[in-house]
Amino acid sequence: MAEAAQRLRSLAEQMLGVPLPVRLKAWDGSQDGPPEAPALVVRNRRALRRMLFKPGELGLARAWVSGDLDIEGDLYTTLDVMAGLVWERGEDARSLGQAVRDPGVRAAARELLKLAGPPIPPAPPREEIRRPRRRLHTRRTDRQAISHHYDVGNDFYEIVLGPSMVYSCAYWEDAGTLETAQRDKLELVCAKLGLKEGQRLLDVGCGWGSMAIHAAREHGVSVVGVTLSQEQAAYARKRVADEGLTDRVEIRVQDYRDVTDGPFDAISSIGMAEHVGAERYLEYARRLYELLKPGGRLLNHQIARRPESDESAYEVDTFIDSYVFPDGELAPIGTTVTQLERAGFEVRDVESIREHYARTLRRWVANLEADWDRAVRLTGPGRARVWRLYMAACALAFERNRIGVNQVVAIRTPESGASGLPLRPRTWHG
């Protein structure tokens, strides 16, 4: 009988119709494929069962998170070639279902089922989100989704994010550290908002308090920061106290829809709007508009996807929805701008910083890998594997222009029409 790796390669290539660009290493110690290529390690037959019972992205994710599937060699190279082989070919359950009409594919699938062992679907990894069908983006479900992602331990986030504790795209120079790039991003936001001493800033989705602290310390503004994460809020409040800024920074566990003590001179929303959802986005934009003074500025920093030819066909990424950001949704930048304008805003500037996010994510992956054993102790191996895969895959997605990130400056322009912006706004003074 052929060794497992050779059988796997032959059967997989029959089903996919293309050569596998990676080596395969199987549970019996066999391996097959280009010796210089990175290796996909199938540690046990259970990995096959996971992929066969849930073909496509979810099955691969379950095998990875559980440790049944691994990679030897460069992670980014492997993910890049696998993206072309699986994700970009649309090899989900529906397309595979169409493919098995071919007699040769059906025969290969039967042989893979035999090789996989007992026809019992393995239970999903415990890190997978299990929830009944429900109405999305209510206050309760948003709170649950935020808790899943952010309440995994501040110590873990310290490993990944580093001392800045900023969980959004940094703003890089050719040289520089993650910490200086994050500081420069916070300063860029403050400059675009035109913050001045004595003003009030609302920081929506304030995270661990970095933006609030920077704005208060460097620009003398009073800040209200809101988050739905209890762990983030506790951490941010301690940082505020340590900085001696409790008289100028208030951190609340509060939904932005429940903020009633406006108006504010400026609003920052950095990496938060991805959680809002398409059905709620206009409500989000209108609420922020209501909370601003006439002439006030909004800085909306948000990840964007490429538009679909048929927008009704858009589906949330299965792996990210099941393991990372439950209920998160991405929109094209044009949709975001349109919704902000529908809410009453005048959109004055859109800056794409896509390449900056790719570099930021690679730095976060390096941080995680450098302190891997501690990260595993803090959150468990499954959660650490989720984060390594998610961040590395996202870095590639930004590099390949599959997704982007944009900073949008929008103004609640007063009836006089005076925007308050300089004639050359890209200097970002005042």
Side-chain angles (χ1 to χ4, degrees), residues 65-87:
V65 174
S66 64
D68 297 332
L69 189 70
D70 209 345
I71 289 170
E72 285 186 6
D74 185 72
L75 176 63
Y76 296 100
T77 300
T78 309
L79 290 177
D80 210 15
V81 297
M82 289 299 292
L85 184 69
V86 179
W87 290 275

Side-chain angles (χ1 to χ4, degrees), residues 96-421:
L96 285 174
Q98 295 168 357
V100 297
R101 295 171 186 167
D102 180 274
V105 172
R106 285 204 304 270
R110 285 195 296 269
E111 288 302 309
L112 273 175
L113 283 168
K114 291 179 185 176
L115 188 60
I120 302 171
R126 64 183 179 85
E127 291 79 10
E128 186 170 313
I129 302 157
R130 301 171 181 85
R131 56 189 189 271
R133 294 188 65 85
R134 59 186 183 170
R135 185 183 177 196
L136 299 183
H137 303 297
T138 65
R139 284 166 172 75
R140 182 177 64 84
T141 59
D142 280 353
R143 187 168 58 251
Q144 291 170 342
I146 293 298
S147 178
H148 172 86
H149 187 77
Y150 294 103
D151 292 342
V152 298
N154 293 325
D155 290 345
F156 175 76
Y157 277 102
E158 285 180 340
I159 291 173
V160 174
L161 304 180
S164 69
M165 288 301 282
V166 179
Y167 185 34
S168 55
C169 175
Y171 196 63
W172 296 87
E173 295 181 313
D174 288 337
T177 66
L178 176 62
E179 286 66 48
T180 59
Q182 289 291 16
R183 180 202 63 208
D184 289 348
K185 189 274 297 299
L186 297 177
E187 184 55 30
L188 178 67
V189 171
C190 291
K192 287 181 175 182
L193 289 173
L195 296 183
K196 298 179 177 65
E197 188 169 353
Q199 290 184 329
R200 294 185 75 217
L201 168 69
L202 174 63
D203 187 28
V204 180
C206 66
W208 293 272
S210 299
M211 174 63 193
I213 290 169
H214 182 90
R217 184 183 60 216
E218 304 299 328
H219 296 273
V221 299
S222 297
V223 187
V224 173
V226 296
T227 175
L228 295 179
S229 167
Q230 295 282 353
E231 290 195 23
Q232 281 187 334
Y235 190 98
R237 287 167 183 155
K238 183 179 185 306
R239 292 180 72 194
V240 168
D242 290 346
E243 291 275 351
L245 293 171
T246 53
D247 59 330
R248 278 189 277 169
V249 177
E250 179 187 2
I251 303 296
R252 304 174 184 169
V253 178
Q254 186 178 35
D255 193 295
Y256 73 93
R257 289 166 284 196
D258 297 328
V259 175
T260 59
D261 55 333
F264 293 87
D265 298 283
I267 298 176
S268 54
S269 178
I270 306 172
M272 177 272 176
E274 297 88 341
H275 296 287
V276 171
E279 290 187 8
R280 296 284 188 180
Y281 202 91
L282 186 56
E283 176 188 356
Y284 159 82
R286 284 174 172 161
R287 185 69 192 124
L288 298 192
Y289 184 85
E290 291 167 358
L291 287 167
L292 270 177
K293 291 179 179 178
R297 301 183 195 178
L298 165 69
L299 187 289
N300 190 77
H301 175 121
Q302 181 177 342
I303 298 172
R305 60 176 171 84
R306 304 296 298 166
E308 302 276 356
S309 55
D310 175 10
E311 278 295 312
S312 66
Y314 168 66
E315 293 182 352
V316 176
D317 181 275
T318 305
F319 166 63
I320 290 180
D321 189 51
S322 299
Y323 285 95
V324 186
F325 283 113
D327 304 340
E329 296 178 46
L330 301 182
I333 179 59
T335 302
T336 296
V337 168
T338 296
Q339 294 289 64
L340 290 171
E341 289 182 330
R342 286 181 66 197
F345 282 106
E346 179 188 6
V347 172
R348 293 300 301 254
D349 187 80
V350 179
E351 181 179 5
S352 172
I353 52 175
R354 173 174 61 82
E355 293 86 352
H356 293 260
Y357 218 158
R359 188 168 178 177
T360 303
L361 283 154
R362 281 183 177 261
R363 184 65 257 174
W364 289 344
V365 171
N367 286 349
L368 177 59
E369 291 176 340
D371 208 356
W372 180 259
D373 291 343
R374 182 166 172 259
V376 168
R377 287 196 303 272
L378 289 170
T379 70
R383 179 79 69 175
R385 290 172 68 84
V386 165
W387 276 79
R388 184 171 179 242
L389 176 63
Y390 143 66
M391 294 190 298
C394 285
L396 289 171
F398 281 106
E399 288 168 356
R400 304 295 187 265
N401 191 29
R402 297 178 192 130
I403 53 177
V405 62
N406 304 279
Q407 289 190 349
V408 179
V409 177
I411 300 177
R412 180 172 176 170
T413 307
E415 290 185 8
S416 67
S419 70
L421 284 174

